[in-house]
Amino acid sequence: MPKIIAAKTLLHSAYVPDTGRGEDAVVSSEIVEYEDGTTEPRLQVYKAPKMTFWLTQPSFQDHPDKKEFESLSRLDPYTVSYKNRDKEIFSLLNNGFTPNFLSPKQRRSVYQSPYVYGANLSIEARIGLLYKKNLEKANKIPQAPTTGFFDIEMSLLKSSYGKLPLMVFTAENKVFLACKKSFMVEPRNGVFVDITLEDIEKAAHEIIDPLVASIFDSHGDLDEMKSKLPFIYEFYAGETEVDMIRWIWSKMHETKVSFIGVWNIGFDIPQILKVLKEEGIPLHEIFAHPDMLKQGLGYANWREDPRDVQHFTQKWHWLSTTSHYQFVDSMSLYSYIRQVDGKETSYGLDDILKKFEIGGKLKIDVGEDLDGLQTEDWHRAMLSKYFTAYALYAMWDGMGLQILEWLNQDLTTMLQTCDATPCKFYPNQTINATTVLFEDWLKEGYVLGTGMDVRSDRDDELLTAGGAVLVPQNMHAKGIKLFKEWPNHHTHVYVWLNDIDFSAQYPTNALTMNISKQTKVATMFNISGDHVTKKYNSQEAVEMLCSYLITPNSNGVEMGSEFFNLPDYTEIKSLFQEHASMVN
């Protein structure tokens, strides 16, 4: 008897612009919760998705400027295919005229029309809102994602420069190490001796297992994570790099992990892409889940962040693919989550792991000839002389990141912060705020205005546009009318203005503090209180409070603790344990 589904949690999704059958699709990675309490990761396919937008009714098409939002009572809804949305909306705006190809100017006219509303929310965000609505209807909370990490080591030896001798992938407490056979040798007594996978596994148990135990015993914040131990190892030796890639990715598909972090993704993933390109292997053949390949929905697209940024950790590269997993640059995510604290002096993994008392990178004392070597020379010596120790070094990079994730929950925090907004837009608070506003205003009977820059890349149209959602020069500030109006009678009495000046205001501040281009309801410039000033200066305190207010359900405890001097999680736990002991 089939299990009954109680609820579904959306993890991430990939938009496929062309399936090869004249249609588009969205593949969502989700966690299904059944009524018996069990859960299962699953891929859900939405073929040829449709979207709803709104046009101002003819009797109200009397304003040349775009409004930030409009009442549903003045709008008519239309449903169009997402793939052909530009043409279909253009046709509706131009009395049925549909050109074979829309010029940039024609496409711009669609989204800058003062009578088009709710048209530029991505299909992934729309599906995200649907998941959220259904989850709330079922009175369920989102399921927690599973996490993993991926890392490679690249040869710096002259004879094999650029080759990949080691690849490691973790999926929670599972560790998968792929080695290239031609590197699996060590010089002993003047001759090279083959290294076996059994040698590496034995060394891992002798060296890494005690290290893990020591870290967990001494790190009080990891007590609750001890149930995830022990780490389980699996090893593979491949003749070629392609063999290694296929094996590692087979484990990614097999484990169905939700998110895979990569520390500095801009290095590791391009190395994999380079190997596949040289061998003539299509990306989707490796990255897409086998089930999607069978359905003709294999898709993979690597996009390097084109923005000019002030710091390299602000780059947000993205790989979209139809699979259970989603790669995330864990270094950039680490930086974004802690941006209010300023930048680290170093984002080297060794320094970050040491900061959180996870031991730093694994340096095994294997010989005096390594003392004093520069980083590059150290890597050359390890690969050419101490392959077993170098394999453990690579394994620990992934395992250290996994422990760091268990400790800090960065990937889970990202998912919670994004809410219905696709994670690929995580750094862009304008897009995040737009999704929130679209949802909130629709509940109140209003639809958010439409605006965008014209771009040629349709499947990712908001990313390089810098997140511009409403074009400021085409906006007409407008609050909520206090009185219902007749078509020929307009009042100027507004209540609770909640308009956003996207050209000048930080979206979080504008959203929560009700700042409009015409009317400013309140100005926050300082937050007093000894418990606040001990941690933040005036500017930081205001920014942090506003960032908490955007998602109060997720940040309530932190907001109460930092700004109202209420107990934090640690104090709550302590108070609970104290109360429990008194009761017992």
Side-chain angles (χ1 to χ4, degrees):
M1 187 177 189
K3 291 185 177 182
I4 300 176
I5 296 176
K8 296 191 292 185
T9 298
L10 176 66
L11 300 169
H12 51 81
S13 58
Y15 175 63
V16 183
D18 188 358
T19 63
R21 297 183 292 272
E23 63 180 17
D24 57 350
V26 175
V27 177
S28 296
S29 176
E30 61 184 21
I31 297 178
V32 176
E33 180 181 358
Y34 297 103
E35 285 194 347
D36 63 4
T38 59
T39 60
E40 176 189 16
R42 196 173 70 174
L43 293 176
Q44 179 67 47
V45 178
Y46 299 88
K47 294 182 178 180
K50 296 183 178 296
M51 57 164 273
T52 298
F53 77 100
W54 291 260
L55 284 180
T56 305
Q57 296 171 3
S59 59
F60 296 107
Q61 293 185 7
D62 56 2
H63 51 88
D65 298 318
K66 182 184 288 293
K67 297 180 181 180
E68 294 177 351
F69 54 85
E70 182 61 279
S71 170
L72 280 168
S73 63
R74 297 187 175 192
L75 301 172
D76 288 326
Y78 293 86
T79 299
V80 297
S81 70
Y82 189 75
K83 182 177 179 64
N84 299 314
R85 62 195 181 279
D86 298 348
K87 283 187 177 182
E88 294 186 36
I89 298 175
F90 183 87
S91 177
L92 287 166
L93 290 173
N94 292 275
N95 300 316
F97 171 65
T98 307
N100 293 328
F101 174 78
L102 288 186
S103 68
K105 182 177 180 180
Q106 289 172 323
R107 189 160 178 255
R108 186 180 297 112
S109 70
V110 168
Y111 293 95
Q112 292 184 350
S113 167
Y115 309 125
V116 177
Y117 290 83
N120 66 333
L121 199 68
S122 73
I123 191 63
E124 293 161 281
R126 294 170 190 269
I127 291 175
L129 289 172
L130 180 62
Y131 272 87
K132 182 181 177 181
K133 180 180 178 181
N134 291 338
L135 201 62
E136 292 173 348
K137 185 178 180 180
N139 196 28
K140 295 286 187 177
I141 62 173
Q143 292 291 316
T146 54
T147 61
F149 288 86
F150 175 70
D151 188 45
I152 65 171
E153 297 299 333
M154 188 181 80
S155 172
L156 299 179
L157 299 172
K158 289 183 179 180
S159 59
S160 58
Y161 188 86
K163 298 299 181 181
L164 307 179
L166 294 161
M167 300 179 193
V168 63
F169 161 57
T170 68
E172 296 293 348
N173 69 325
K174 297 178 180 178
V175 183
F176 304 95
L177 179 72
C179 311
K180 191 174 181 183
K181 288 184 178 179
S182 59
F183 288 95
M184 296 177 65
V185 293
E186 289 181 4
R188 295 177 185 174
N189 300 320
V191 296
F192 280 94
V193 177
D194 290 335
I195 300 300
T196 67
L197 297 179
E198 290 73 21
D199 294 332
I200 299 173
E201 182 175 10
K202 179 182 177 182
H205 288 302
E206 292 176 350
I207 296 175
I208 294 183
D209 288 358
L211 174 61
V212 172
S214 173
I215 290 173
F216 273 76
D217 287 342
S218 62
H219 206 306
D221 293 333
L222 287 171
D223 285 344
E224 296 180 2
M225 300 299 163
K226 287 183 178 180
S227 60
K228 293 181 177 291
L229 299 178
F231 279 103
I232 301 170
Y233 308 125
E234 190 169 337
F235 302 90
Y236 172 81
E239 296 287 350
T240 67
E241 292 163 320
V242 172
D243 292 338
M244 297 163 63
I245 291 172
R246 290 189 184 278
W247 184 79
I248 286 287
W249 258 261
S250 73
K251 298 304 176 182
M252 292 179 183
H253 297 315
E254 177 185 310
T255 56
K256 298 181 180 179
V257 66
S258 308
F259 292 96
I260 301 175
V262 185
W263 196 263
N264 188 13
I265 197 171
F267 172 76
D268 296 71
I269 296 301
Q271 298 303 318
I272 301 299
L273 301 183
K274 178 184 175 183
V275 172
L276 297 179
K277 182 179 180 180
E278 290 175 349
E279 297 298 326
I281 300 174
L283 303 187
H284 67 269
E285 182 181 314
I286 299 296
F287 295 135
H289 192 276
D291 290 347
M292 295 297 101
L293 292 174
K294 293 176 183 177
Q295 297 181 43
L297 291 169
Y299 176 78
N301 180 49
W302 167 252
R303 176 178 292 281
E304 291 192 0
D305 190 339
R307 297 174 302 159
D308 293 326
V309 296
Q310 295 180 340
H311 193 270
F312 66 92
T313 60
Q314 293 175 305
K315 287 284 190 179
W316 192 252
H317 307 302
W318 200 255
L319 176 68
S320 293
T321 188
T322 49
S323 193
H324 288 279
Y325 67 82
Q326 174 60 63
F327 282 116
V328 175
D329 191 328
S330 48
M331 179 182 68
S332 295
L333 179 61
Y334 174 94
S335 176
Y336 272 111
I337 287 178
R338 296 161 183 82
Q339 60 185 342
V340 72
D341 297 327
K343 296 300 180 186
E344 301 281 356
T345 55
S346 169
Y347 283 90
L349 182 56
D350 184 51
D351 296 308
I352 300 301
L353 293 179
K354 287 178 178 176
K355 176 178 179 178
F356 289 91
E357 301 176 7
I358 306 179
K361 281 184 171 266
L362 182 62
K363 296 293 181 69
I364 304 171
D365 186 11
V366 290
E368 295 181 358
D369 57 331
L370 298 178
D371 295 343
L373 291 180
Q374 296 294 323
T375 300
E376 292 81 0
D377 291 332
W378 182 88
H379 280 274
R380 293 186 185 102
M382 288 293 290
L383 180 57
S384 61
K385 297 180 181 180
Y386 308 103
F387 185 83
T388 302
Y390 200 43
L392 301 189
Y393 169 88
M395 289 173 62
W396 182 249
D397 279 0
M399 295 171 67
L401 283 167
Q402 188 72 64
I403 297 172
L404 183 65
E405 174 62 24
W406 290 344
L407 178 67
N408 291 337
Q409 301 287 303
D410 281 3
L411 290 168
T412 301
T413 299
M414 176 196 69
L415 184 61
Q416 292 174 336
T417 304
C418 286
D419 198 35
T421 304
C423 296
K424 63 183 175 183
F425 299 131
Y426 170 75
N428 200 314
Q429 291 206 31
T430 303
I431 294 179
N432 200 323
T434 300
T435 308
V436 173
L437 284 171
F438 178 85
E439 178 188 22
D440 289 348
W441 281 119
L442 198 58
K443 291 177 181 177
E444 299 297 326
Y446 294 85
V447 182
L448 200 64
T450 297
M452 65 165 288
D453 292 335
V454 172
R455 291 179 56 247
S456 59
D457 191 350
R458 295 171 47 81
D459 64 314
D460 201 11
E461 60 193 356
L462 293 178
L463 184 59
T464 52
V469 179
L470 303 176
V471 182
Q473 60 266 33
N474 293 335
M475 298 303 295
H476 174 67
K478 192 172 181 65
I480 302 177
K481 290 284 190 177
L482 183 60
F483 304 107
K484 291 185 177 180
E485 300 176 342
W486 293 347
N488 60 347
H489 179 73
H490 299 277
T491 67
H492 293 279
V493 183
Y494 302 96
V495 62
W496 284 109
L497 292 176
N498 196 6
D499 303 322
I500 291 181
D501 180 358
F502 284 91
S503 64
Q505 296 296 332
Y506 192 62
T508 305
N509 294 356
L511 176 66
T512 58
M513 302 313 301
N514 292 304
I515 298 174
S516 169
K517 294 183 291 296
Q518 289 188 342
T519 305
K520 183 163 58 179
V521 176
T523 299
M524 181 189 296
F525 61 89
N526 186 31
I527 300 176
S528 60
D530 292 340
H531 57 285
V532 177
T533 55
K534 285 180 180 179
K535 188 168 184 179
Y536 303 115
N537 61 37
S538 299
Q539 179 181 353
E540 291 173 342
V542 171
E543 172 62 23
M544 181 55 72
L545 178 61
C546 289
S547 68
Y548 282 159
L549 287 172
I550 191 71
T551 51
N553 290 340
S554 302
N555 301 315
V557 173
E558 291 84 354
M559 185 164 54
S561 172
E562 295 179 16
F563 294 96
F564 299 97
N565 210 21
L566 297 174
D568 58 16
Y569 283 112
T570 303
E571 293 172 301
I572 292 173
K573 180 179 179 181
S574 176
L575 291 170
F576 174 79
Q577 292 174 338
E578 181 181 339
H579 175 73
S581 64
M582 293 174 61
V583 172
N584 294 333

